[in-house]
Amino acid sequence: QVRLVESGGGSVQAGGSLRLSCAATGYTGRPYCMGWFRQAPGKEPEGVAAIYPRAGNTYNTGSVKGRFTITQDNSKNTLYLQMNGLKPEDTAMYYCAADYRVGGACYSISVPQYNIWGQGTQVTVSS
């Protein structure tokens, strides 16, 4: 079975950078979509970024455009999220996820679409 494990989170000051990684094991093939999500205390889960692996198209939520970049290294079965210019409002638990079932809506970065999830990695940005 496919399993996802996130790493790379930590505590940084505003304006700093982090690179999150999501390693996939038991990889069975190319998913329809891969995405990064986050959940801050007291808030609902939020889609952050997604990639359509077939064509390499990427999508970001408006609050992170120009600051976050999602990439995938197929040779390592690893998904990345490069986060630059971090802000205190970016503080959250970050999760990677894969859609092997639904497909067709990577641009929406929609939680219900994804059926495989990692355990999360904490990102804390201080002011």
Side-chain angles (χ1 to χ4, degrees), residues 10-18 38 40 43 46 61-68 83-92 94 122-127:
S11 181
V12 299
Q13 295 184 7
S17 298
L18 286 172
R38 65 187 181 186
K43 296 185 178 181
E46 175 190 22
T61 191
S63 62
V64 308
K65 287 182 178 179
R67 300 189 297 120
F68 291 9
M83 305 186 295
N84 299 323
L86 284 163
K87 304 175 180 180
E89 53 263 43
D90 295 318
T91 295
Y94 283 71
Q122 179 68 39
V123 172
T124 302
V125 185
S126 62
S127 60

Side-chain angles (χ1 to χ4, degrees), residues 75-88:
S75 67
K76 298 180 179 180
N77 293 329
T78 302
L79 184 74
Y80 301 98
L81 183 67
Q82 179 67 47
M83 305 186 295
N84 299 323
L86 284 163
K87 304 175 180 180

Side-chain angles (χ1 to χ4, degrees), residues 26-38:
Y27 197 72
T28 59
R30 183 173 58 192
Y32 296 113
C33 310
M34 291 289 294
W36 285 98
F37 299 80
R38 65 187 181 186

